[in-house]
Amino acid sequence: MRLKDKVAIVTGGASGIGRAAIDLFASEGASVVIADINASAIEAAVGELRNAGHKAAGHMCDVTRREDTHEFMKMVHAEFGRIDVLVNNAGITRYRPFAEATSEDWDAVLGVDLKGVFFCSQAAAPFMRRQGYGRIVNISSALGTGAAPHNTAGSPGGSAAYASAKAGVIMLTKTLARELGPDGITVNCVAPGTFLTPISASNRTPDEVEEHLEHRRRNLLLRRVGTLDELASVILFFASDQASYVTGQTLSVDGGRSDRM
Ligand code: NAP
């Protein structure tokens, strides 16, 4: 039990990667709390977790709204008495060629994917500081670590806002690690490659999703798309005391992106 008696929050935890992390954390002994904007998915996830005997809660929290994030952290602390782990996972994409991208596209993506990480970390940090203990894990992307060919093989192209936000998450990780380290808080980052979740289909038809996955499989050193368990286990590593002497780091979990090595 690597998270026994810990209280772990995952933003965007009602779907995809966040949900996989929530399930794994619960099975490792944590009380888990979902912060998401999808009310029905929160309700379904919390119901399933509680039916399986886990301590779980979930609340609506729009990570782009500073007041929401502060209210959310206060609520979690009042309910569980601690905040040990925060996974900043909520994210959106709006792929559009650079020349056509609107100011609204840019603000929406940067708002969730970068400012949301800032707001949630700032809201959780005071509780972690008082405990002298905390683990923050940020979710970046392979697109935040290097530009890849992107407008072919089922990919719509135009990741300027998303890639900028995800690169920002990596630097935010380093600066938070520096500021929070003296208080016993580690801050690390995971940069996933391709994983099949609802976000993968948000800008693609089903045929384009399959074309995209096939293209990835051919170009990955491991020749296959990852499973959500393979990603959640790395998020767990940073969230647990197995990584107690690691901070400010970004680990790519991408099956070997040969197009960028
Ligand atoms: P997902 O299945 O779409 O899950 C994202 C969750 O975040 C959804 O429940 C979504 O709610 C929620 N959300 C969206 N905006 C929010 C907000 N303002 N406040 C709180 N929650 C919000 O996506 P995923 O694939 O699991 O992605 C999780 C993270 O991994 C993202 O940061 C993504 O950029 C990153 N990532 C994913 C991949 C991949 O291949 N899947 C690769 C690299 C990086 P709704 O359902 O209502 O939108």
Side-chain angles (χ1 to χ4, degrees):
M1 288 281 185
R2 280 172 285 180
L3 293 180
K4 191 166 165 9
D5 299 328
K6 301 284 195 245
V7 177
I9 294 165
V10 181
T11 70
S15 174
I17 292 167
R19 177 66 202 272
I22 282 279
D23 288 349
L24 183 59
F25 287 4
S27 74
E28 291 287 340
S31 299
V32 289
V33 193
I34 295 170
D36 207 293
I37 51 167
N38 189 331
S40 56
I42 295 175
E43 199 186 327
V46 171
E48 285 168 28
L49 287 154
R50 287 183 180 162
N51 285 342
H54 299 302
K55 281 193 196 145
H59 304 289
M60 291 287 282
C61 173
D62 181 343
V63 299
T64 67
R65 294 170 53 89
R66 184 178 225 143
E67 328 73 83
D68 272 27
T69 62
H70 283 267
E71 273 311 304
F72 177 87
M73 298 302 166
K74 272 194 228 151
M75 222 168 4
V76 174
H77 193 263
E79 195 174 349
F80 292 97
R82 314 180 47 82
I83 296 177
D84 298 293
V85 177
L86 167 66
V87 181
N88 284 308
N89 163 80
I92 61 168
T93 57
R94 287 224 189 148
Y95 295 134
R96 212 190 290 277
F98 166 68
E100 294 160 24
T102 64
S103 171
E104 201 271 329
D105 289 332
W106 182 270
D107 288 346
V109 173
L110 273 284
V112 181
D113 295 9
L114 183 56
K115 196 158 70 172
V117 177
F118 163 57
F119 283 163
C120 290
S121 303
Q122 201 179 46
F127 297 103
M128 293 179 170
R129 276 190 153 131
R130 281 203 287 279
Q131 295 162 185
Y133 181 94
R135 301 271 178 270
I136 297 177
V137 187
N138 297 327
I139 307 301
S140 175
S141 166
L143 286 174
T145 65
H150 190 59
N151 56 353
T152 55
S155 283
S159 57
Y162 184 73
S164 302
K166 293 299 188 180
V169 168
I170 292 171
M171 273 318 293
L172 189 55
T173 299
K174 292 185 191 186
T175 56
L176 295 188
R178 195 172 272 280
E179 291 196 41
L180 299 175
D183 294 303
I185 302 167
T186 66
V187 188
N188 290 292
C189 181
V190 175
T194 304
F195 294 84
L196 192 54
T197 70
I199 218 174
S200 325
S202 61
N203 285 70
R204 298 182 179 104
T205 65
D207 282 351
E208 283 171 344
V209 170
E210 192 37 52
E211 194 189 343
H212 173 66
L213 295 181
E214 188 45 40
H215 174 77
R216 282 277 172 269
R217 283 184 201 107
R218 274 200 307 274
N219 288 288
L220 291 170
L221 299 185
L222 297 183
R223 298 285 188 271
R224 64 180 177 82
V225 170
T227 67
L228 291 180
D229 289 346
E230 288 174 308
L231 184 51
S233 64
V234 178
I235 299 172
L236 171 65
F237 168 68
F238 283 132
S240 75
D241 287 335
Q242 285 189 313
S244 54
Y245 203 53
V246 182
T247 196
Q249 302 304 306
T250 295
L251 184 56
S252 291
V253 183
D254 63 6
R257 286 284 296 264
S258 60
D259 54 343
R260 291 196 302 95
M261 295 186 95

